[in-house]
Amino acid sequence: MSDAVHAPTSPSQSWPIAAAMLPFPASQEAPAEVWHDQFAEVAFEGFTEVDLTDSWVKVGNMEASRLTELADVLRQTGLRPEAVSAIRCSVIDPDAGEANLAYSHRTIDAAAQLGCSVVSVGLHRPLAPQQRDVLWFWTVDGPKDDDSAETWQLAVRRLRELGEHAHDAGVLLSLEMYEDTLLGSAESAVRLVQDINHSAVGLNPDLGNLFRLHRDIESFQAAVEACLPLSNYWHVKNYYRDTEPTTGAVVSLPAPMYSGSMNYRTAVKTAVAVGYTGPFCVEHYGGDGLSVMAENRTYLRKLLAVATGEVARASRGTDVGVK
């Protein structure tokens, strides 16, 4: 056995950055061999963590034997299931809220069994028919949450219930920000987490969901400053955004993180400065999403090296972990 001493991995290189399974088709009923090949693609792009996005498979609806198959395939491909993102299953949906609450509880149990660290849920509902008929669904308004005091308290009560379950199961609950929901602005999202008031519950400041809208939006950096102190998981993606000054028309298109209009260099510095230590999940819509997400992971590790001071220390010869 070699006696060589290896330098510890730097924080920026060991920070969990998961690949969303968004680029892959719904595979709930697929055999384990299909899951294996899909995960192999993710691992080949250099990922070691994955977010089991439930548009791909719904672990909360799996029999125990299928969960075992999924865990086996994850081990075979060398991927750690960092998180489950349960999307479009709002616990205050006026029609399906109770069913979604039960599904969210099952998802927490399945995520804990698989060894995940976090479950991300939101208050956004299934896409409206008009949204499914266009190229980019965010260019058409979808369902909007009722903002009455009664609905607010229902959200607080049900999300706190999920937070208590998550705490008991040994995972964190993260609330994904999304337009026209009670998590649709920095101010509202922060207030909701504060009203829930549970140590296992934090924000998933997926601000790309808001930045892409074809309407007036709040400052990205201001939202980062407001939300990151209360965040425990972070879906990151970027968009090109342009506004025509004469008509006010807005255009937004998916972009790699480094070239889009959201300044993640400043945002990541802010996050680290306010004490953010949670995992990241890279996402992308359209085209070869997996390759763009792999680029985003590499870019994000560079930003973390800067934000954590590794780059500055290396330039002074006091940190050998950055090249």
Side-chain angles (χ1 to χ4, degrees):
M1 181 180 295
S2 171
D3 293 327
V5 176
H6 297 282
T9 304
S10 62
S12 67
Q13 297 304 303
S14 60
W15 206 301
I17 301 176
M21 290 300 287
L22 283 171
F24 294 93
S27 302
Q28 188 78 13
E29 304 304 325
E33 290 80 5
V34 171
W35 294 346
H36 180 281
D37 292 350
Q38 292 168 332
F39 283 147
E41 286 190 58
V42 174
F44 185 69
E45 291 293 338
F47 286 98
T48 53
E49 291 88 18
V50 65
D51 180 311
L52 304 174
T53 320
D54 77 345
S55 58
W56 174 67
V57 298
K58 291 177 167 51
V59 297
N61 287 345
M62 282 187 176
E63 299 291 337
S65 60
R66 289 288 273 168
L67 273 180
T68 299
E69 283 186 295
L70 182 60
D72 288 343
V73 172
L74 284 162
R75 282 191 292 271
Q76 292 165 15
T77 53
L79 290 174
R80 166 179 154 70
E82 188 67 45
V84 173
S85 288
I87 59 176
R88 304 194 182 282
C89 55
S90 170
V91 297
I92 58 170
D93 185 309
D95 299 316
E98 290 188 3
N100 289 341
L101 178 63
Y103 168 71
S104 299
H105 277 296
R106 297 195 305 272
T107 299
I108 289 170
D109 285 333
Q113 182 177 333
L114 289 167
C116 298
S117 69
V118 62
V119 172
S120 176
V121 300
L123 296 176
H124 39 311
R125 293 180 239 164
L127 295 174
Q130 299 91 331
Q131 292 180 296
R132 293 195 294 269
D133 289 340
V134 296
L135 177 60
W136 303 118
F137 61 85
W138 55 84
T139 61
V140 176
D141 288 347
K144 295 177 171 58
D145 277 350
D146 169 36
D147 60 359
S148 68
E150 292 77 12
T151 301
W152 185 272
Q153 289 305 316
L154 179 64
V156 169
R157 185 169 66 252
R158 287 183 171 175
L159 292 171
R160 184 184 292 136
E161 176 185 323
L162 291 178
E164 291 172 353
H165 182 184
H167 178 267
D168 292 344
V171 300
L172 295 174
L173 185 74
S174 197
L175 309 182
E176 181 182 353
M177 295 178 67
Y178 198 90
E179 80 267 13
D180 297 327
T181 72
L182 301 185
L183 294 159
S185 70
E187 179 183 7
S188 181
V190 166
R191 183 163 70 92
L192 187 59
V193 170
Q194 290 173 336
D195 283 2
I196 293 168
N197 191 27
H198 196 287
S199 61
V201 180
L203 283 178
N204 172 358
D206 191 344
L207 297 170
N209 291 341
L210 309 181
F211 189 83
R212 67 194 179 193
L213 299 176
H214 286 200
R215 64 176 87 158
D216 289 341
I217 57 172
E218 63 186 310
S219 160
F220 171 60
Q221 180 59 24
V224 167
E225 292 170 5
C227 295
L228 264 296
L230 294 174
S231 298
N232 56 10
Y233 189 45
W234 196 358
H235 287 174
V236 289
K237 54 182 177 281
N238 212 340
Y239 294 85
Y240 300 114
R241 180 180 175 89
D242 187 38
T243 302
E244 208 290 317
T246 304
T247 64
V250 177
V251 174
S252 62
L253 296 169
M257 281 179 67
Y258 75 90
S259 65
S261 301
M262 301 161 73
N263 185 349
Y264 274 101
R265 182 172 293 268
T266 300
V268 171
K269 287 179 181 177
T270 299
V272 171
V274 301
Y276 180 75
T277 58
F280 292 86
C281 173
V282 288
E283 298 184 322
H284 186 77
Y285 287 101
D288 182 357
L290 181 58
S291 290
V292 176
M293 293 190 315
E295 276 193 3
N296 289 349
R297 181 202 64 240
T298 300
Y299 170 68
L300 186 52
R301 293 211 185 280
K302 292 179 181 179
L303 299 189
L304 287 166
V306 171
T308 58
E310 294 171 22
V311 170
R313 291 191 298 273
S315 72
R316 297 185 180 97
T318 58
D319 191 332
V320 297
V322 177
K323 297 182 180 180

